Amino acid sequence: MASGTMQSEGSTAMTDQLYTTHDISRLLQVDPSTVSKWIDRGILMAFRTPGGHRRVRSTDLRTFLVTHQMPVPEELGSSTVRLLVVDDERPVLDAIKRAFKPHANQVELQTTTSGVEALLLVSEQKPHGMIIDLNMPDIDGIEVCKRIRARKQMEGVRLITMTSNHTPDVVEQSKQAGAVACLAKPLDVTQVMELFRVPLALNTSAARK
């Protein structure tokens, strides 16, 4: 089995601020019990202090908001959508990186040539979404989707498959495996941006400067 390689385009250098459930309820204008339910369900990542109090890191809160297509308050600062793209063909990955380059201020792209490595990276990198080629030699895209969907802590990651053999049957198989969409190759970046509703999910303060 050929080993996969991972590359990162861009980075987020910021200091995490910690929020209480009441801080988040104020920020998002929701009831504190709603925030607690998000944490209990595992869709909003949190940790407990030595005193037993829940705290949420600002980066995890941004991830939650972008993943669930909710506006990101300006207090949380600029936010980008983190995508992990999986395809065993390096020329395809290079083409996708070129296509996303004009959106570098909105999308942070990581790539890997291995489905197996993608299953490891999704836990480490916690992307908002993944774009997965269906036809790969080590583990196909359908199986990658199924394994990620089997992990409760990964339920917030939006999965998108892509294929050169785009048929209704393939689209249905992808959705049954947990993907929100199956796109034809070559990938249309506009479709990806629409699936993540990037203009709605990201604050627009940078655009006004």
Side-chain angles (χ1 to χ4, degrees):
M1 182 186 299
S3 60
T5 57
M6 186 273 287
Q7 296 178 329
S8 175
E9 298 293 319
S11 61
T12 52
M14 58 186 73
T15 302
D16 272 353
Q17 182 175 340
L18 300 181
Y19 289 86
T20 67
T21 53
H22 287 280
D23 290 336
I24 297 171
S25 70
R26 171 190 57 78
L27 193 63
L28 305 184
Q29 297 183 346
V30 297
D31 192 88
S33 64
T34 300
V35 180
S36 296
K37 288 177 183 177
W38 291 338
I39 295 173
D40 291 339
R41 289 175 55 197
I43 60 175
L44 175 58
M45 302 301 293
F47 67 94
R48 288 191 180 275
T49 65
H53 302 292
R54 286 170 162 174
R55 295 291 183 269
V56 176
R57 295 182 177 88
S58 57
T59 51
D60 289 329
L61 181 54
R62 279 192 296 271
T63 296
F64 168 80
L65 294 173
V66 172
T67 300
H68 291 83
Q69 303 176 8
M70 297 168 66
V72 178
E74 290 193 12
E75 182 178 322
L76 290 175
S78 177
S79 177
T80 58
V81 173
R82 296 194 304 277
L83 294 180
L84 174 61
V85 185
V86 192
D87 195 302
D88 62 298
E89 298 183 45
R90 188 167 297 284
V92 172
L93 293 178
D94 290 341
I96 290 174
K97 284 192 287 187
R98 287 194 297 271
F100 271 101
K101 200 165 186 179
H103 308 285
N105 63 324
Q106 295 173 296
V107 179
E108 181 183 334
L109 205 65
Q110 292 181 314
T111 63
T112 178
T113 56
S114 164
V116 171
E117 185 173 40
L119 292 172
L120 299 174
L121 290 173
V122 68
S123 295
E124 296 174 4
Q125 305 296 332
K126 296 182 176 63
H128 299 119
M130 295 177 66
I131 304 173
I132 310 158
D133 183 33
L134 288 179
N135 185 23
M136 293 186 292
D138 56 350
I139 174 174
D140 65 44
I142 294 293
E143 185 62 23
V144 171
C145 289
K146 287 180 178 178
R147 294 191 187 186
I148 292 174
R149 279 293 161 259
R151 305 178 189 177
K152 182 174 176 58
Q153 68 272 29
M154 294 289 106
E155 68 177 0
V157 179
R158 293 171 66 81
L159 305 179
I160 300 169
T161 59
M162 59 180 176
T163 178
S164 299
N165 180 34
H166 195 265
T167 66
D169 285 345
V170 170
V171 172
E172 182 59 27
Q173 288 175 27
S174 294
K175 291 185 177 180
Q176 289 291 331
V180 297
C182 177
L183 305 181
K185 296 172 72 175
L187 196 66
D188 184 341
V189 170
T190 302
Q191 286 183 294
V192 177
M193 301 289 274
E194 288 175 351
L195 283 168
F196 282 89
R197 298 183 186 177
V198 170
L200 298 179
L202 303 180
N203 77 70
T204 57
S205 58
R208 294 195 299 265
K209 293 180 180 179

